[in-house]
Amino acid sequence: FYKKFKKDLEQAEKAMPNIKVEGLPSDETCDKCKAPMIIKVGRFGMFLACSAYPDCENTRELETTEPSQDEEAENCENCGKPMVVKRGRFGQFLACSGYPDCKTTRKIIATKEGLSAAKPDQLLEEKCPKCESQLVIKQGRFGEFTACSSYPTCKYVKLKSTGVSCPKDGGDIVERKTRRNIPFFGCSNYPECDFTLWKRPLAEACPKCKREYLVEKTTKRHGRQVFCDNDECDYIRSEELAAV
C-alpha cells in the first residue's frame, strides 16, 4: 500500500499547484493596477491578492456567497448598496459591497435566535464627556449600549445609572456586567474607587439605621424584598411583584 501511495504522493507534489504560493485564478481585477486578482490562502483563510505582487501589494477580502440570516437583503445605511458577508480575523461580518468607496461595516452577533446582523448605529444628540464627539446607540452581544462614535480613538461607554451615590467617594453607582454577562453595581469612578454591590441599590435611606441606600432582591419563594445591607441592621420588607 505505502509504495503505491508514495508514488502517487510524489506525482501529486509535482503536478498539483501550490495554492499558497501560486494561488487560484479569479474573475476579479485589481482596483489599483488592473492586473488579475488571484485567490490565496493565508493565516485567517482565503483572500484575494494582486497577481502583480511584489510590484503591487493590493489585497482584498474574498466575498462569500453565503446569504444573510435575514429574509430580506441588508442594504448599507450610508450608500444604499447591498451588504455582503465577509470573513475577517475575528469571524464573519457584514461589509458594504461598495468598498473601497464606502467602508461601512456591521457586526454579525449571536443571539438566542441564531446569528443576525447588528442594527446600524443610532446617532444621539448627546455628546461624549471625554472627547465631545456624538454618542451612538450600538448593538452588541448582550444587547444595546451607548458609546462614543469616535471608537476606537475614544473608548467611552455610557453606563446605566442607579441614581444612588457611592458611600465611599460620592460618585454615581452604575450598572456593570462581568465577562459572563452577570450584572453587578459599582462606582463610576472605578478604578479609583472599588465599591461594588451584587444587589441593585435603591435611592432610599434605611428607616432604621439611616444608611444612604437600600438594596433589593427577587426570589421565587419570597418575591421582591427590600432590605438594608448593613450587617448590624435587620431592616427588611417584602413587596408584591408588579403584574407583567
Side-chain angles (χ1 to χ4, degrees):
F1 166 78
Y2 182 73
K3 288 183 179 180
K4 184 179 182 302
F5 174 74
K6 185 179 179 181
K7 185 178 179 181
D8 293 339
L9 184 62
E10 290 174 351
Q11 186 177 356
E13 288 177 349
K14 294 178 181 179
M16 291 178 65
N18 189 335
I19 298 177
K20 285 190 175 182
V21 177
E22 300 175 12
L24 295 173
S26 74
D27 298 329
E28 300 287 333
T29 55
C30 178
D31 52 339
K32 289 186 177 180
C33 69
K34 305 304 179 183
M37 300 288 281
I38 56 176
I39 301 172
K40 286 196 170 186
V41 179
R43 182 180 176 186
F44 303 107
M46 292 185 174
F47 65 97
L48 286 172
C50 182
S51 58
Y53 179 86
D55 296 326
C56 178
E57 298 180 351
N58 186 29
T59 59
R60 286 209 309 262
E61 294 281 350
L62 182 64
E63 293 184 7
T64 175
T65 56
E66 184 177 345
S68 172
Q69 298 293 325
D70 298 331
E71 293 181 0
E72 297 182 1
E74 293 280 345
N75 290 326
C76 175
E77 60 270 19
N78 292 322
C79 70
K81 292 184 178 180
M83 300 289 281
V84 293
V85 180
K86 291 191 175 184
R87 183 177 294 276
R89 182 178 179 183
F90 301 106
Q92 291 181 328
F93 65 98
L94 282 178
C96 181
S97 58
Y99 180 87
D101 297 325
C102 179
K103 298 181 180 179
T104 302
T105 59
R106 215 184 298 166
K107 291 180 180 178
I108 294 179
I109 57 176
T111 62
K112 293 181 180 179
E113 291 75 24
L115 294 176
S116 63
K119 296 178 183 177
D121 293 348
Q122 182 181 343
L123 207 61
L124 302 176
E125 294 182 0
E126 187 178 353
K127 299 289 185 180
C128 173
K130 287 190 174 181
C131 70
E132 295 298 321
S133 298
Q134 283 184 277
L135 295 180
V136 293
I137 298 176
K138 292 177 172 284
Q139 186 179 16
R141 182 180 176 187
F142 300 117
E144 292 183 345
F145 65 98
T146 303
C148 182
S149 58
S150 295
Y151 179 87
T153 305
C154 178
K155 297 182 179 180
Y156 172 79
V157 176
K158 184 179 180 181
L159 300 172
K160 294 180 181 178
S161 174
T162 61
V164 179
S165 298
C166 175
K168 277 192 173 182
D169 66 355
D172 192 18
I173 297 181
V174 294
E175 183 176 345
R176 298 178 181 271
K177 289 185 179 180
T178 65
R179 292 183 179 179
R180 296 186 177 182
N181 200 33
I182 300 173
F184 72 99
F185 306 88
C187 182
S188 58
N189 293 328
Y190 177 85
E192 287 76 15
C193 178
D194 60 356
F195 178 80
T196 56
L197 290 169
W198 286 106
K199 296 177 178 62
R200 179 179 292 276
L202 303 175
E204 179 184 347
C206 176
K208 197 167 185 178
C209 71
K210 306 304 179 184
R211 173 159 278 197
E212 299 88 345
Y213 63 90
L214 295 173
V215 294
E216 68 172 354
K217 69 176 181 180
T218 303
T219 62
K220 291 183 179 180
R221 183 177 180 182
H222 300 290
R224 181 173 181 262
Q225 289 184 314
V226 177
F227 60 97
C228 181
D229 70 342
N230 184 354
D231 294 336
E232 298 177 357
C233 180
D234 59 357
Y235 176 79
I236 186 171
R237 72 172 186 263
S238 297
E239 297 182 354
E240 292 184 3
L241 293 174
V244 179

